Amino acid sequence: MGGPGDPPEGTPEGAPAGGEDEYRSVVFDESFVRAARLQEFSARERMADHSPAVRRRPPLQRGLSRQALILVLLIAIAFGTAIYMGVRHPYETPATRSAEPLRMTVIPLAPGTAVPGSTSTDELYAASPAAQFRTGAEGITMPAVRRTAHFSDSQVVTALTTAKDYLVESSLDPSVLTGGATRPVRILLDPRQLDQFDRSFDHPAADGRHAPTGWLVRFDATRTQLADKGIRVQGTLQAAEFDANTLEVVADHTFVYALRPTGANARAEASLFTVRRELTFRFDRDDLRMHQAELAVSYVQAGPLACSDDSVSRLRPLLAGQTAKAGGPAGTDPYATGSATAVCGSLARSAQPTV
């Protein structure tokens, strides 16, 4: 007896067993039927209109939906707007501020009497105005830090720290003072000032722009050596806004060096040499990020020096027992604030040790 889906007479001869044929795998689902181009009329429609058994259906629209069309249109508008704004945007690109050339003044201070000397550097310092100065980098003290209108506390600290590093490298590093090194100072400068810096050392000139002694303290090593590496320092650092994009740090420090003639032994007399440096640094945000500084102004008083000596390339101090004709009408004290002279000044007796 056949199954519920088999023909009454059983499976025809030669047909596959079980009633399965080669068309059983074809599935006419709803989507297949709805996509057909021909549609059969119902019995009522055929009786009423005597129409053919089938009719042709209009083709299905396979285009994009309304939502998809709107999305494509919005993307096209956004893309076109981006291109337009990239070509003609209403915002001006900020102009890059160029670094101003360093303006420098180096004033030698000539003694009116013979330079005092002693075999003991401690005795020299104790008898001088530098008796209470700190030693080395400890004498470059940091002020209280306050944020400004356009710069944070950390940015102000970075500016002060960079200025201090510049003072240490340019005024206290023995390789710079007597060894002729420049790289420790150069790497701290804004790259836009490097051409002026390099020209100052390649072609020194007393033009207020290209004196090596305006950038750093440098002695003539053929005549002078350090008698004590414990250089005495005192001064101040002050930070303020120069403008909305620039921080300014003003450094005013006095450095006191104990010196002897080159080649002299420890029993030879030493003398003191004083350098007053007033430096103005400026920092934009790139400088702060790179730990570099733009040196805007350098005002230097140094003595005892002879006014006739060239103080542009290297400092040639007058050592213990040496004399020079005084340069100015009145004594200039490098320990005092607010004093200024023009080409050469005379070193005040109060600035010398009383040994």
Side-chain angles (χ1 to χ4, degrees):
M1 182 174 178
D6 294 334
E9 293 80 7
T11 302
E13 184 179 356
E20 294 184 359
D21 56 25
E22 56 182 326
Y23 301 105
R24 182 66 62 88
S25 60
V26 178
V27 179
F28 297 99
D29 57 10
E30 183 180 356
S31 62
F32 179 85
V33 174
R34 295 179 64 181
R37 300 297 300 274
L38 297 178
Q39 182 182 24
E40 183 179 3
F41 285 103
S42 65
R44 186 184 299 272
E45 290 173 331
R46 290 197 301 270
M47 291 175 62
D49 298 333
H50 304 285
S51 300
V54 295
R55 61 183 172 188
R56 185 174 297 275
R57 298 182 64 185
L60 294 176
Q61 295 184 352
R62 299 184 180 273
L64 295 174
S65 66
R66 179 178 298 178
Q67 293 84 350
L69 286 173
I70 294 175
L71 179 60
V72 171
L73 181 61
L74 290 176
I75 293 174
I77 292 174
F79 186 71
T81 303
I83 294 177
Y84 175 80
M85 294 297 290
V87 175
R88 297 182 61 186
H89 58 82
Y91 309 105
E92 295 184 0
T93 302
T96 302
R97 184 179 65 87
S98 60
E100 295 291 331
L102 169 61
R103 294 177 287 112
M104 58 183 70
T105 304
V106 181
I107 299 175
L109 303 178
T113 59
V115 177
S118 174
T119 56
S120 170
T121 57
D122 290 338
E123 182 181 344
L124 281 173
Y125 282 124
S128 76
Q132 303 302 317
F133 286 12
R134 294 183 179 181
T135 302
E138 293 182 357
I140 306 174
T141 56
M142 301 285 283
V145 175
R146 295 182 180 87
R147 63 174 303 154
T148 67
H150 300 93
F151 292 89
S152 65
D153 292 346
S154 62
Q155 289 175 316
V156 175
V157 169
T158 298
L160 291 167
T161 302
T162 305
K164 177 176 179 176
D165 290 345
Y166 187 94
L167 289 169
V168 170
E169 298 298 341
S170 64
S171 309
L172 300 176
D173 186 344
S175 68
V176 172
L177 297 175
T178 58
T182 60
R183 187 177 182 278
V185 179
R186 190 179 189 273
I187 61 176
L188 292 172
L189 285 172
D190 187 307
R192 295 169 293 183
Q193 286 192 308
L194 294 183
D195 286 344
Q196 183 187 5
F197 181 86
D198 293 339
R199 182 179 173 185
S200 299
F201 290 88
D202 295 338
H203 305 286
D207 59 359
R209 292 289 188 273
H210 301 96
T213 49
W215 297 98
L216 48 81
V217 178
R218 169 184 273 189
F219 298 113
D220 184 350
T222 64
R223 300 171 55 178
T224 306
Q225 67 180 10
L226 291 174
D228 187 347
K229 293 184 178 179
I231 300 161
R232 305 303 196 267
V233 185
Q234 181 170 282
T236 60
L237 287 170
Q238 295 180 339
E241 281 193 13
F242 180 74
D243 57 37
N245 298 308
T246 311
L247 269 177
E248 182 175 87
V249 174
V250 176
D252 186 355
H253 291 81
T254 300
F255 301 85
V256 186
Y257 306 86
L259 305 175
R260 285 193 179 97
T262 297
N265 57 39
R267 290 177 292 179
E269 283 196 337
S271 59
L272 297 185
F273 185 81
T274 304
V275 178
R276 166 90 176 277
R277 303 186 76 195
E278 298 177 56
L279 306 180
T280 300
F281 302 91
R282 294 195 181 126
F283 303 85
D284 59 23
R285 287 176 172 78
D286 285 339
D287 291 328
L288 295 173
R289 181 172 53 85
M290 300 301 294
H291 193 68
Q292 294 171 332
E294 175 190 335
L295 186 56
V297 180
S298 173
Y299 177 78
V300 179
Q301 297 175 345
L305 286 169
C307 290
S308 58
D309 278 350
D310 176 20
S311 301
V312 172
S313 300
R314 284 177 167 80
L315 300 173
R316 297 180 174 87
L318 295 172
L319 301 175
Q322 294 180 335
T323 60
K325 182 179 179 180
T332 300
D333 187 352
Y335 294 89
T337 60
S339 58
T341 55
V343 178
C344 186
S346 61
L347 183 63
R349 294 190 64 179
S350 60
Q352 296 274 51
T354 55
V355 292

